[in-house]
Amino acid sequence: MLAGKVWKEAASLLIIGRTTSHLGTKKKGCGLVNGDYRVVFLKRNTNNSFMPNMYVFPGGSIECSDFSSAWYDVFNKCGYSQSKLEELRTDAPPPRLYRDKPNHFILPELGFRIAAIRETFEESGVLLAKHLPENCLTLDDINKWRDIIHNDASQFVTFFREVGGCPAVWDLHEWISYLTPTHVGNRRYDTAFYITFMDKLPKVVFDETEMSGLQISSPQSLLEKWHRGEFSVGPPQLHELQRLLNFPHFDDLKRFAEVRGRKGMDEYFNVRILTPEGIIVVLPGDDLYPTEPDYLGDEPQLEMDCSMEELRKSANKLHRYELRPGSNMELVVNIDPKFGHKRPVNYNQVYKNPLRNRVKNQVKRLE
C-alpha cells in the first residue's frame, strides 16, 4: 500500500454553477460557444508547498475521520441506511484509490466524497449538504465551523451531529483520478476528482490561510485567460477544462456526468519524456506510454533523441501534451477515453488568434 508512504490521497471537486448570462454567445476570436455555466477555481497562495500560485479545483487531502463509521449515524438520522449508502458503489472496476482500504473504514466511495465536501467547505465556504434545518446557519456560524474543521477534520462529523443534515454525497459524481507524476517535486497526491452541479452558486469566500484568489467563469473564458498567460493551472486542471469544452450547456453536462459517473473512474498517471525540443507528457493509451510505468520514480527520467513531430508521426495512438519553450502546452489526442468519457478538445486549435509569448517558464518549471 503506497498511499501514505510515497504519496498522499486526496479528493477534489469540480463545482459547476448554472448561469443565464451570455447564453449561447460565441467568444470573440474563438470558434467556441461561451456556455451557460461557470466553474469554480481557487488560487493557492505563495506559501503552499504544492502548486503555489496555481489555480485549482477546491479539494485537499483525505483524513481518517472522513472514513469513520460515525458517519453512518449521521446519515441514518436523515433516513439513509447503510444499504442505501452502498448504492454509491458501482459495478465498474474500482480505481486504485478505492482499493486496499482498512476493514473498519466506511465505503471509500462514501469517504472520498465526504473528504471532497469537507475540503470544499473549508476552502470556499460552500457547504454541500442535505436536510439542513432551515436558516440554521448564520454567516458567523459558517465561519466559526470552517475554522474549527480546518484545525480538526474530525469535527466535520460533529458539525452535522449538532446542526443536523448530512453531506450531499449523492450530488457528487465520479469524474477522473490523477496521480502526481514523478520528478516534479517532493509532494505527490493520488486524487479523486468528482463533479457536482448547482442551479445557483452561493457566495464563495476563499480561505485566506491557503488561498489568495478566486476565479468563477466558463471553461472558454478561463482557457482564454490561460492562453494569454493570466491563469496558471496544472496539467490535470487544463485537461479537464478542455474536456468541458464538449459541453456548452449545463443540462447536457449534468446528464452526461450523472450517467457516466456510474461507468467507472479512470486513472491518469502522466509520464514525462525529455526531447531536444522540450517535454512530451504522455497519458494512458498513447503508443509511447510505458507498459509498466515507474510509479515510484526509481528510474531515470525518460529521454528520446527525436523531434516531437517525428514521435507524433510514428505513433498510431496519441494521448499526450507537447511542451516547447515559449509556446502553449499543446494537446495531441486521437483516442477516446475509457469508461464513456469525452475526449478533450484542443483549445489551441480552435482559438483563432494564438499568442506567441505564452508561459515561457512552463517547461522550465517541469524540468
Side-chain angles (χ1 to χ4, degrees), residues 7 96 177-181 188-191 268-270 295:
W7 55 73
R96 176 181 50 248
S177 72
Y178 284 90
L179 174 60
T180 308
R188 299 180 63 200
Y189 293 88
D190 198 2
T191 304
Y268 281 7
F269 171 62
N270 302 348
Y295 292 109

Side-chain angles (χ1 to χ4, degrees), residues 55-335:
Y55 280 94
V56 296
F57 303 119
S61 299
I62 64 168
E63 301 288 347
C64 288
S65 58
D66 299 321
F67 297 82
S68 168
S69 59
W71 283 108
Y72 286 137
D73 293 332
V74 170
F75 285 101
N76 189 55
K77 288 179 180 179
C78 293
Y80 302 110
S81 64
Q82 187 170 336
S83 60
K84 178 65 176 177
L85 293 168
E86 289 174 355
E87 293 178 6
L88 290 170
R89 174 158 287 176
T90 70
D91 294 329
R96 176 181 50 248
L97 285 155
Y98 289 173
R99 299 193 293 267
D100 302 324
K101 291 292 178 285
N103 292 332
H104 64 273
F105 275 16
I106 59 176
L107 283 175
E109 291 88 343
L110 177 59
F112 274 94
R113 283 172 166 88
I114 290 172
I117 292 170
R118 174 182 54 76
E119 284 285 344
T120 296
F121 181 52
E122 290 179 32
E123 293 181 347
S124 70
V126 175
L127 178 62
L128 294 155
K130 297 289 189 185
H131 307 293
L132 282 176
E134 190 173 355
N135 300 321
C136 65
L137 292 170
T138 66
L139 181 58
D140 287 341
D141 292 332
I142 290 173
N143 291 333
K144 179 192 76 172
W145 277 107
R146 287 177 69 185
D147 289 340
I148 291 172
I149 295 165
H150 177 81
N151 293 323
D152 182 359
S154 68
Q155 293 301 305
F156 197 40
V157 70
T158 303
F159 165 79
F160 282 103
R161 280 173 167 168
E162 294 190 9
V163 174
C166 62
V169 291
W170 288 276
D171 291 346
L172 273 62
H173 310 289
E174 293 181 0
W175 191 249
I176 198 76
S177 72
Y178 284 90
L179 174 60
T180 308
T182 58
H183 308 291
V184 292
N186 297 324
R187 290 200 175 192
R188 299 180 63 200
Y189 293 88
D190 198 2
T191 304
F193 286 76
Y194 300 91
I195 189 168
T196 193
F197 298 85
M198 307 183 79
D199 283 321
K200 183 179 180 180
L201 280 174
K203 185 177 181 180
V204 178
V205 181
F206 62 85
D207 175 15
E208 295 184 2
T209 62
E210 294 187 20
M211 303 296 171
S212 62
L214 170 71
Q215 287 276 355
I216 303 177
S217 194
S218 69
Q220 296 83 359
S221 295
L222 292 170
L223 285 166
E224 183 178 344
K225 292 178 181 179
W226 167 79
H227 208 282
R228 295 199 301 261
E230 300 170 359
F231 180 71
S232 297
V233 291
Q237 289 76 19
L238 177 62
H239 202 70
E240 297 315 312
L241 275 175
Q242 291 182 108
R243 197 194 304 273
L244 292 177
L245 294 179
N246 289 286
F247 303 96
H249 300 301
F250 178 95
D251 289 330
D252 292 339
L253 175 57
K254 184 179 180 182
R255 281 192 293 267
F256 171 80
E258 290 172 346
V259 174
R260 201 229 61 80
R262 304 289 300 175
K263 295 180 179 179
M265 182 185 286
D266 204 358
E267 302 167 285
Y268 281 7
F269 171 62
N270 302 348
V271 175
R272 302 184 313 146
I273 301 173
L274 303 180
T275 76
E277 295 177 283
I279 298 173
I280 296 177
V281 180
V282 293
L283 291 88
D286 192 287
D287 281 349
L288 288 180
Y289 197 79
T291 305
E292 297 183 1
D294 175 25
Y295 292 109
L296 303 183
D298 293 335
E299 302 297 326
Q301 181 78 63
L302 294 176
E303 297 186 35
M304 290 189 174
D305 191 21
C306 301
S307 71
M308 292 187 183
E309 183 178 2
E310 290 172 333
L311 292 171
R312 187 191 295 193
K313 288 182 177 179
S314 64
N316 293 317
K317 296 179 180 179
L318 296 162
H319 192 195
R320 65 183 68 173
Y321 282 91
E322 298 174 351
L323 290 83
R324 296 175 175 85
S327 300
N328 283 323
M329 181 186 289
E330 185 79 17
L331 171 67
V332 185
V333 58
N334 66 2
I335 61 173

